Amino acid sequence: MLLRLPTSVSEAQEYLAQGAVPVGGATLVWAGWQRDGFPELAMSLRKLPEANEIGPGRLGAAVLLHQVDDRVPEVLRAAAATVGTGAVRRAATVGGNIVGSTLRCLLPAALVLDARATVLVQDRSYETDLGEVLAKRHLLLALRWNTPVVTGYRKLPAAAGGPPPLVVACAVHADDSGHRRLRVAVRDGYEVLGETTDAGPDAGQVTDALDAGPLGSLPAEARAAVREQVTDVLARAAAVH
């Protein structure tokens, strides 16, 4: 297998046109390659500047999970910190987790940030929503978002070898007029549900509004976890003026 390490977007596009397979951190594909055979040409974005940025409102797809720190919102930082083991987090990448993983541990966090994705195809790079990224399995370059008022993240304990643990991610956003909206995303098993509602002062009314939508179909334990997380996030948001 020949591994390419592009240092520019145009170079990465050239390798895509040649049929290079993106590898991310290779934590998810290595076992399959050992079983089924290695591709002739692969490509890693670890040398591409656009895919390695980390800072306010931006996170590159080639950033390793253990590098996700307090330069990004709490919800993303907590999501990255709870993926696998320390060894996995030192090898796995943001893009590999969101696009290549069936668990997609970072996806709920990215959804509540209302993140937009910069993706790379053979003839251009462009910005799109996460739904298109997942549906078409695009090569992710970076995530971008507007800074939220406050965020929160919770992953419930789960038995080893069982279903994926329940994840609840929340973020409160304010528009230019100061109006606040709450975004919630829940991973239940392998499914991710999301909803947005007004971030009013009454947590009970807010959670009742969430129960009236898709999140109301969750099991009782999951709905209780959502209520607890939403109540905490709204309380912290109320202290931010």
Side-chain angles (χ1 to χ4, degrees):
M1 180 180 74
L2 181 62
L3 178 65
R4 298 294 193 185
L5 299 169
T7 58
S8 68
V9 168
S10 60
E11 192 177 6
Q13 289 172 316
E14 179 182 342
Y15 295 145
L16 280 180
Q18 294 172 8
V21 177
V23 300
T27 57
L28 298 170
V29 298
W30 194 260
W33 287 349
Q34 289 180 312
R35 180 186 65 244
D36 303 326
F38 288 77
E40 293 184 6
L41 183 63
M43 177 175 67
S44 168
L45 301 182
R46 66 175 183 240
K47 299 293 186 181
L48 185 65
E50 291 87 346
N52 285 277
E53 294 182 3
I54 179 170
R58 183 175 177 85
L59 182 62
V63 172
L64 301 178
L65 298 186
H66 82 100
Q67 297 173 317
V68 180
D69 56 23
D70 59 6
R71 288 173 287 180
V72 304
E74 173 193 350
V75 66
L76 261 180
R77 189 167 68 250
T82 58
V83 173
T85 64
V88 168
R89 293 190 293 274
R90 288 190 292 273
T93 64
V94 170
N97 183 272
I98 292 178
V99 182
S101 169
T102 56
L103 294 178
R104 295 177 175 135
C105 300
L106 300 188
L107 180 58
L111 287 173
V112 300
L113 290 175
D114 197 18
R116 299 283 294 173
T118 303
V119 299
L120 182 67
V121 293
Q122 291 184 15
D123 60 345
R124 63 190 175 114
S125 63
Y126 66 97
E127 191 174 273
T128 186
D129 59 63
L130 289 169
E132 180 181 327
V133 174
L134 299 179
K136 298 184 177 180
R137 297 185 66 82
H138 284 313
L139 177 56
L140 181 66
L141 285 182
L143 298 173
R144 294 181 182 271
W145 61 87
N146 293 322
T147 301
V149 177
V150 67
T151 67
Y153 181 88
R154 183 182 181 190
K155 178 185 281 189
L156 271 61
L166 182 83
V167 166
V168 181
C170 303
V172 174
H173 296 265
D175 62 21
D176 293 339
S177 67
H179 179 71
R180 293 185 173 187
R181 300 278 285 172
L182 171 72
R183 295 180 64 89
V184 181
V186 178
R187 186 188 70 188
D188 179 36
Y190 292 95
E191 184 178 13
V192 177
L193 301 174
E195 195 164 350
T196 303
T197 189
D198 286 336
D202 188 322
Q205 290 183 355
V206 173
T207 52
D208 285 346
L210 293 173
D211 280 343
L215 299 185
S217 65
L218 292 168
E221 181 184 11
R223 294 200 309 274
V226 170
R227 284 180 172 268
E228 182 177 335
Q229 190 64 35
V230 166
T231 299
D232 172 72
V233 166
L234 291 177
R236 289 191 286 120
V240 179
H241 302 286

